[in-house]
Amino acid sequence: MSGARRIWLTGASSGIGAALAEQLLADGMRLVLSARRVEPLQALAARYPEQVLVLAGDLSDPAQVREIGEQIGQQWGALDGAILNAGTCEYIDAQHFEAAMVERVLRANLLSAAYCIEAALPLLRTGEKPHLVGVASSVTFLPLPRAEAYGASKAGLRYLLQALRIDLAAEGIDVTVVSPGFVDTPLTQQNDFAMPMSWSAEKAARHIAKRLEKRPSEIAFPGPFISILKLLASLPMHLQLALGKRIARSEQNTTDSKDAR
Ligand SMILES: NC(=O)c1ccc[n+]([C@@H]2O[C@H](COP(=O)([O-])OP(=O)(O)OC[C@H]3O[C@@H](n4cnc5c(N)ncnc54)[C@H](OP(=O)(O)O)[C@@H]3O)[C@@H](O)[C@H]2O)c1
């Protein structure tokens, strides 16, 4: 296994992260896998004992992330890549706006990424062709109803990574932002609205793994969905508002008709 790239992949216990772990392991990479649920990570380790190091933990707890970073340092000495994919989604009900929920989502999606970056950077600095990757979301291209907390966390993550890209360039650390559209995972299976152009987690993982080889600054997909979001975001604000109200109404109708069943 010497010479295989050494990657820390977070959120590998389900959805996009689990599918990406399968793909990268099949491609021969060595992975540190992190998430709170240890069983799915151990199942991968049992199948790829030479390639997988399981370091489970709650990434929204800075002490646990620091401990994971120290373990990687002791066991591997360096990282060639970190793919920060762990995340969550909760939707706001503006009638009962809850700041605690915003805090929860920011902690899960933005602060946890910051803790992981702090732990990963010293290890990436001693790695080969280091690459830092963060999974944001296509929601960052267009404000959508009920996505206040989720969108804020992912927009924050986008800015964090884009600014870091500038500051890390001199050290030769590349930074990629991944912006998925809808992907069919346990996270989105809870959604009560239509998810146009949804991809399977396996298709998303194949796409991300292939594109990562070229180390682009952005991996956004599916292309047509992203183009539509960017087009809508370029409309005058009153048209964006009218459209947003329409989406909110149709989501409400879907919820009401599901509740009536
Ligand atoms: N699915 C989509 O349509 C979509 C679209 C755009 C962006 N994304 C982003 O893609 C990423 C993966 O999402 P997914 O759809 O694959 O969701 P998922 O199936 O729910 O997977 C989320 C992963 O994150 C881990 N995680 C969450 N909170 C964690 C914490 N505090 N500490 C450690 N691990 C944590 C979960 O593991 P444990 O529960 O075991 O801790 C799980 O492995 C997320 O960042 C999400 O925002 C998804």
Side-chain angles (χ1 to χ4, degrees):
M1 271 299 127
S2 66
R5 281 184 72 71
R6 299 157 294 180
I7 316 277
W8 181 19
L9 172 63
T10 72
S13 62
S14 82
I16 298 170
L20 192 55
E22 292 276 3
Q23 183 66 46
L24 297 176
L25 289 167
D27 291 345
M29 297 188 194
R30 294 172 67 195
L31 300 182
V32 174
L33 300 179
S34 297
R36 289 164 301 188
R37 284 166 293 168
V38 75
E39 295 81 8
L41 310 182
Q42 281 171 340
L44 278 167
R47 287 170 48 215
Y48 296 91
E50 304 282 299
Q51 287 166 257
V52 171
L53 175 59
V54 172
L55 292 174
D58 183 346
L59 302 174
S60 65
D61 176 351
Q64 292 190 38
V65 178
R66 229 173 285 129
E67 173 63 26
I68 290 173
E70 282 165 17
Q71 284 292 325
I72 300 173
Q74 281 167 23
Q75 303 208 34
W76 283 8
L79 280 172
D80 307 315
I83 304 176
L84 309 181
N85 160 78
T88 188
C89 182
E90 290 186 62
Y91 290 111
I92 291 259
D93 173 359
Q95 301 302 311
H96 307 281
F97 188 93
E98 204 198 327
M101 192 261 257
V102 179
E103 188 177 336
R104 219 162 39 236
V105 175
L106 285 175
R107 185 167 300 287
N109 291 351
L110 177 59
L111 296 180
S112 67
Y115 305 146
C116 290
I117 291 168
E118 182 181 80
L121 274 182
L123 297 160
L124 288 169
R125 288 193 170 102
T126 55
E128 294 287 320
K129 293 180 69 189
H131 193 185
L132 174 64
V133 180
V135 179
S137 167
S138 57
V139 76
T140 59
F141 297 125
L142 182 73
L144 291 170
R146 293 166 60 205
E148 290 86 347
Y150 181 68
S153 72
K154 293 298 189 178
L157 179 61
R158 165 178 292 286
Y159 199 103
L160 179 70
L161 292 167
Q162 289 182 334
L164 255 184
R165 177 183 299 135
I166 303 166
D167 286 320
L168 295 177
E171 297 185 71
I173 303 178
D174 290 328
V175 177
T176 296
V177 178
V178 179
S179 301
F182 290 114
V183 179
D184 184 14
T185 68
L187 192 75
T188 50
Q189 279 152 18
Q190 296 164 30
N191 288 349
D192 53 9
F193 50 83
M195 292 183 280
M197 299 186 215
S198 178
W199 280 13
S200 70
E202 292 70 28
K203 183 173 178 180
R206 274 196 305 277
H207 184 83
I208 294 168
K210 182 93 197 103
R211 294 298 186 287
L212 280 180
E213 288 169 15
K214 296 222 157 95
R215 311 161 80 86
S217 50
E218 178 90 31
I219 300 174
F221 61 89
F225 183 67
I226 302 297
S227 301
I228 291 168
L229 291 184
K230 287 183 173 173
L231 179 73
L232 295 175
S234 70
L235 293 174
M237 197 44 75
H238 70 279
L239 291 180
Q240 287 189 45
L241 181 57
L243 177 80
K245 282 158 71 180
R246 242 185 120 106
I247 297 173
R249 263 202 312 277
S250 75
E251 283 180 7
Q252 187 56 46
N253 288 343
T254 314
T255 314
D256 289 350
S257 61
K258 277 192 179 152
D259 289 349
R261 267 182 238 152

